[in-house]
């Protein structure tokens, strides 16, 4: 029993480590994506600002209309809003990652995406079948299949047989042998769709 408990504890510890790694990986991906979006928004903001400056120079020279200038300002204002939103999102995602890694909030984080590391195959001997979540899911699937099979049989009529045999009388000397035999059949006619619902659920 002690060895079994140690084995379960080891699996639980391994499972906890895997969950932590998955959480940190997800936070890293979110932070990296938010940082990339912020960089793109900054580039778009610089582009729209430059276009607005060019149109302003053309407007002062009488080569563009006030409508074009107004559109350029609106476009720049929208780009500025997107850049501020992206900056806020990137900051929040970075703080989430820093908190998960127990880093100071003002810690600068450099996001490095190692494509070669991601391209590596799963190490030999490591199989998804050995993961605790997969084992639990497979056992649950077996139980669901059994429930589904049992619910299918509920649609068929049920037949039961009962019998009894023994002496019957006032005293043992004044008794006679008796027996009884019975057959009962039940047919599901209407149950408000309960059986169909159970089968669909299983």
């Amino acid at each position: 029993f002690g060895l079994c408990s140690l084995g379960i504890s080891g699996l639980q510890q391994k499972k906890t480590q895997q969950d932590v790694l998955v959480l940190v990986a997800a936070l890293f991906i979110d932070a990296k994506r938010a940082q990339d979006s912020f960089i793109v928004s900054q580039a778009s903001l610089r582009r729209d600002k430059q276009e607005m400056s060019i149109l302003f120079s053309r407007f002062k020279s009488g080569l563009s209309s006030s409508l074009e200038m107004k559109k350029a300002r609106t476009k720049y204002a929208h780009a500025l809003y997107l850049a501020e939103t992206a900056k806020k999102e990137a900051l929040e995602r970075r703080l989430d990652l820093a908190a998960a890694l127990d880093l100071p909030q003002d810690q600068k984080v450099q996001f490095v995406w190692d494509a070669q590391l991601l391209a590596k195959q799963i190490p030999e001997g490591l199989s998804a079948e050995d993961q605790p979540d997969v084992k639990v899911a497979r056992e649950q699937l077996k139980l669901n299949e059994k429930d589904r099979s049992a619910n299918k049989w509920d649609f068929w009529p049920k037949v039961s047989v009962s019998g009894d045999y023994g002496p019957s009388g006032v005293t043992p000397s004044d008794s006679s042998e008796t027996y009884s035999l019975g057959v009962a059949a039940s047919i599901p006619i209407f149950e408000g769709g309960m059986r169909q619902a159970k089968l669909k659920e299983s």
Side-chain angles (χ1 to χ4, degrees):
F1 179 74
L3 292 177
C4 182
S5 298
L6 288 175
I8 294 176
S9 299
L11 288 175
Q12 290 177 343
Q13 183 179 3
K14 184 178 180 181
K15 178 64 170 55
T16 302
Q17 292 174 352
Q18 292 176 351
D19 291 342
V20 171
L21 288 175
V22 170
L23 174 62
V24 173
L27 292 175
F28 170 80
I29 292 174
D30 290 342
K32 179 70 167 59
R33 183 183 294 115
Q35 181 68 20
D36 292 343
S37 298
F38 173 65
I39 294 175
V40 172
S41 66
Q42 289 293 312
S44 299
L45 180 63
R46 289 192 297 269
R47 180 201 60 195
D48 293 342
K49 184 177 182 180
Q50 186 176 7
E51 289 181 359
M52 186 178 65
S53 299
I54 294 174
L55 277 175
F56 182 72
S57 299
R58 292 171 57 87
F59 177 73
K60 289 177 62 178
S61 303
L63 299 176
S64 63
S65 63
S66 59
L67 179 60
E68 291 176 338
M69 190 62 199
K70 186 178 295 183
K71 288 182 178 180
R73 287 177 176 174
T74 303
K75 186 178 180 181
Y76 173 74
H78 181 66
L80 182 61
Y81 168 77
L82 293 179
E84 291 296 329
T85 303
K87 181 180 180 180
K88 180 181 178 182
E89 181 71 14
L91 177 60
E92 291 179 354
R93 300 290 78 80
R94 183 182 65 79
L95 292 177
D96 291 341
L97 179 62
L101 297 175
D102 197 20
L103 296 175
Q105 293 186 352
D106 57 349
Q107 176 71 42
K108 293 184 179 180
V109 180
Q110 183 178 2
F111 298 96
V112 179
W113 192 269
D114 193 343
Q116 295 182 354
L117 179 62
L118 296 176
K120 289 183 179 179
Q121 298 181 354
I122 298 178
E124 186 177 356
L126 181 61
S127 174
E129 300 295 331
D130 299 330
Q131 302 302 315
D133 286 345
V134 177
K135 292 181 179 180
V136 173
R138 288 194 177 278
E139 292 299 323
Q140 185 62 44
L141 180 60
K142 291 179 181 178
L143 292 176
N144 291 346
E145 289 291 344
K146 292 179 180 179
D147 288 342
R148 184 170 178 267
S149 178
N151 289 329
K152 278 186 176 181
W153 283 106
D154 286 343
F155 285 95
W156 293 88
K158 293 181 177 62
V159 179
S160 59
V161 180
S162 61
D164 186 25
Y165 176 79
S168 177
V170 179
T171 61
S173 60
D174 184 16
S175 62
S176 58
E177 299 295 331
T178 61
Y179 66 90
S180 63
L181 180 65
V183 179
S186 61
I187 302 175
I189 298 177
F190 178 74
E191 293 183 348
M194 182 179 66
R195 296 185 187 276
Q196 290 87 345
K198 285 184 177 180
L199 181 60
K200 186 175 181 180
E201 180 183 1
S202 62

